[in-house]
Amino acid sequence: VQLVESGGGLVQAGGSLRLSCAASTSISRLNSMGWYRQAPGKQRELVALISGGGITRYADSVKGRFTISRDNAKNTVYLQMNSLQPEDTAVYYCNAYSGSGTWWGQGTQVTVSS
């Protein structure tokens, strides 16, 4: 499975970005897809997850600000990020999981200026 992220960039605090993750396979076959992030000097952490059945899970730090969604017809998962803060600055990675394995995208940089 190949995952290609897009949509990162530089935004001021309080702004919004939407990340996209296009998969090379039918995402309806996957158990879950998610977004993770890694800030400099920190471990990679879960941001948001969406199961094949559409159940979502969020890190406490992004609840109410970020929304994960999926478009099975386009084999794409999105992360809408609102009210961005400098602490959201990180490389964001798309992840896909199935019983056959787990896959990662190359990452997209999100930088939030104060």
Side-chain angles (χ1 to χ4, degrees):
V1 178
Q2 292 183 323
L3 304 172
V4 179
E5 302 105 333
S6 61
L10 173 64
V11 64
Q12 289 188 331
S16 298
L17 284 173
R18 188 177 81 154
L19 305 183
S20 299
C21 173
S24 62
T25 190
S26 172
I27 64 173
S28 61
R29 298 181 178 183
L30 301 171
N31 292 73
S32 68
M33 293 193 72
W35 289 95
Y36 291 71
R37 67 186 180 187
Q38 188 166 18
K42 294 188 177 181
Q43 289 188 331
R44 191 172 296 189
E45 63 176 0
L46 174 68
V47 177
L49 199 68
I50 186 165
S51 72
I55 297 172
T56 58
R57 179 158 64 102
Y58 296 93
D60 288 343
S61 60
V62 306
K63 282 180 182 176
R65 300 189 298 124
F66 291 11
T67 303
I68 189 170
S69 61
R70 59 194 292 160
D71 185 335
N72 287 353
K74 295 182 178 180
N75 293 322
T76 300
V77 173
Y78 303 98
L79 184 68
Q80 178 66 43
M81 306 185 293
N82 298 328
S83 301
L84 283 161
Q85 300 301 317
E87 52 265 35
D88 295 316
T89 295
V91 178
Y92 284 69
Y93 296 91
C94 180
N95 170 271
Y97 171 76
S98 79
S100 302
T102 186
W103 298 269
W104 295 92
Q106 81 287 353
T108 185
Q109 177 70 45
V110 171
T111 303
V112 185
S113 63
S114 57

